Amino acid sequence: MQITLNGEKREVPDGCTVAQLLQLLELPATRAAVEVDRKLVRRAEHAAFVIPPGAQVEVVTLVGGG
């Protein structure tokens, strides 16, 4: 299925969850904030939240600094 990820069209498996998307992107869930259709998806919901076809997904990685 197709979604828009950070402004770009992208194919992901049907029924893809937020957790699976982060795995595909090789991003640890602890370092990413995810919005689906302008709604924040809490980390506790990543494994159960199925991304709908055509969704607008924004993934922001959190960077620690010193």
Side-chain angles (χ1 to χ4, degrees), residues 1 12-17 20 49-51:
M1 75 175 171
V12 296
D14 288 346
C16 186
T17 65
Q20 291 168 328
F49 192 101
V50 177
I51 301 167

Side-chain angles (χ1 to χ4, degrees), residues 5 15 24:
L5 175 64
L24 287 171

Side-chain angles (χ1 to χ4, degrees), residues 2-58:
Q2 192 174 74
I3 63 171
T4 301
L5 175 64
N6 294 349
E8 296 184 13
K9 300 286 186 195
R10 180 165 182 137
E11 287 290 327
V12 296
D14 288 346
C16 186
T17 65
V18 170
Q20 291 168 328
L21 177 63
L22 292 176
Q23 284 181 331
L24 287 171
L25 299 173
E26 298 181 358
L27 294 172
T30 57
R31 311 282 303 164
V34 181
E35 278 188 0
V36 176
D37 293 330
R38 297 184 178 230
K39 293 182 182 177
L40 182 66
V41 180
R42 294 180 25 226
R43 192 176 312 142
E45 300 170 334
H46 284 185
F49 192 101
V50 177
I51 301 167
Q56 301 282 328
V57 181
E58 296 291 326

